[in-house]
Amino acid sequence: MFTPILGLKAGTTAQQVTDRLQHQPQVFEFFLTPADFTTAGWGNLEAQVARVQASGARIVFHHPMRYQDKRNELCVNQALHPAQYGFVMTTARRLIDLSKQVDGLTLVHGGYNQKGYDFIGDWPSLAQAQAVVLGRMCELNADAAGHVVFENSISPICAFGDAAMEAQLLALRLPLAYDISHAFIYLHGDNDALVASLRHLAPLVRHYHLVDSMGQTHDSLPLGTGCIDWARVLPVLNPHASSIYEINLSDQEDCREMLASHAYLTQVAQRLS
C-alpha cells in the first residue's frame, strides 16, 4: 500500500525554501512563475535547487501556471497566440533539461479550468483541442527520458475520471501527475468514481498532489477537512509514486497546513495497517 511521505511545495524565495527544508521533506516541489525564467530568476532557482539537492529531497518543478494575463494551457493555439505557445513549450523543455541534471521531474499541466480566456474555443471542437494536448504531451515526453509528468485538470480538456480521456492516456502510456482534488471536483464529489479512476490510472502515475476538497470548487483544503474518503483512496494509489501536499496556506512562509495534512494521512495509513 502507498505509504505517506512528507512532500512539500514552495516558491523559489529563500524564505520559503528554508521553511520547508527545516522539516526534512522527502519530496520538494518548486512552484514556478515567469519571473523564474529571467536571468536573475534562473540564477536564484539554481541556488535554491542546490540547497534542496543537498538535503537529499527529490525535486519536482511545477511549470508556471500563467503567462502575462492568461493561464498556460497546453492546447494554446500557436497561430493565435505565438508568444504564449513559445513560452509554454520553451519553458517546459528548459525545466525538463534541468530535471535531467538533478534527476527530478517536471510537472506540466494538461489543462486548468474553464475560467478566464477560452483556449478550447480556439479550436473547432473539444476533441481537436484534446488531440493537440495529447500530441504535445507525447512531444515533450519523447525527449524527457523519464523526467516529465502531466497533471489533470478540472476542465474537460484533460480530466481524469473521464473514461475516453483515461483510455487515450493508457494507450499512449503517458507518465502522469494525479491531482486528487481536481478529479474529485470534476466528478462532482463522487468518491466511488474517484477511487475507480485512481485505480485505473495508478500504473501510469508517478506523482500525486494530495489535497482535499468539498468537490464543488477549487478549494485546496487540508486533508481531513473536505469530503474525500482518504481511507478508500490510500489503498489504490501507486506505492512507487512520489507525492506532495498541495494545500492553500494562510502564510506562504509557513507550511503548517501541509504538515497537518501529513499527520492526518499518516494516522489514516496506521489505521488501515
Side-chain angles (χ1 to χ4, degrees), residues 12-267:
T12 56
T13 67
Q15 294 91 336
Q16 288 188 33
V17 174
T18 296
D19 172 70
R20 307 314 190 255
L21 288 182
Q22 70 178 319
H23 304 292
Q24 299 180 311
Q26 292 164 272
V27 181
F28 192 109
E29 185 170 316
F30 282 101
F31 179 77
L32 303 176
T33 71
D36 295 309
F37 294 85
T38 64
T39 301
W42 193 261
N44 174 67
L45 174 60
E46 289 180 322
Q48 302 310 320
V49 166
R51 295 177 63 197
V52 177
Q53 274 192 292
S55 78
R58 181 81 189 277
I59 297 174
V60 180
F61 299 106
H62 189 294
H63 190 245
M65 289 180 61
R66 305 190 73 87
Y67 173 74
Q68 296 180 349
D69 62 339
K70 296 183 178 68
R71 292 189 183 275
N72 280 324
E73 294 284 354
L74 202 54
C75 74
V76 59
N77 190 311
Q78 182 180 7
L80 298 177
H81 310 281
Q84 182 139 20
Y85 169 82
F87 179 84
V88 168
M89 300 301 287
T90 300
T91 54
R93 291 190 178 99
R94 191 173 183 184
L95 289 175
I96 289 169
D97 287 342
L98 182 57
S99 294
K100 291 176 183 177
Q101 295 173 31
V102 303
D103 193 24
L105 287 174
T106 291
L107 183 153
V108 178
H109 267 256
Y112 285 96
N113 55 40
Q114 292 173 291
K115 295 180 180 179
Y117 186 86
D118 180 18
F119 283 99
I120 299 174
D122 285 339
W123 300 96
S125 66
L126 172 61
Q128 186 166 343
Q130 288 175 325
V132 170
V133 169
L134 291 168
R136 288 176 182 167
M137 287 179 176
C138 290
E139 180 182 342
L140 291 172
N141 187 49
D143 299 325
H147 295 282
V148 71
V149 288
F150 302 102
E151 183 179 340
N152 54 315
S153 67
I154 298 171
S155 158
I157 193 72
C158 184
F160 299 174
D162 176 84
M165 175 56 66
E166 290 191 1
Q168 293 183 82
L169 294 167
L170 286 161
L172 294 169
R173 304 296 302 169
L174 286 166
L176 305 180
Y178 198 123
D179 186 300
I180 293 175
S181 73
H182 289 174
F184 191 62
I185 295 163
Y186 176 78
L187 295 166
H188 306 291
D190 186 336
N191 273 291
D192 291 338
L194 174 65
V195 169
S197 172
L198 285 165
R199 181 182 290 112
H200 192 214
L201 291 178
L204 299 183
V205 178
R206 297 190 58 203
H207 186 62
Y208 289 102
H209 279 176
L210 306 176
V211 49
D212 219 329
S213 173
M214 300 303 292
Q216 303 302 318
T217 61
H218 195 237
D219 38 8
S220 301
L221 301 176
L223 273 62
T225 66
C227 294
I228 294 175
D229 189 341
W230 293 98
R232 293 183 63 194
V233 163
L234 268 182
V236 298
L237 301 184
N238 185 337
H240 306 294
S242 61
S243 62
I244 61 133
Y245 299 97
E246 193 181 44
I247 314 298
N248 277 343
L249 302 178
S250 55
D251 178 356
Q252 292 300 322
E253 294 182 11
D254 184 343
C255 65
R256 66 181 64 188
E257 291 92 344
M258 296 180 192
L259 299 175
S261 293
H262 182 58
Y264 171 84
L265 197 61
T266 300
Q267 291 178 348

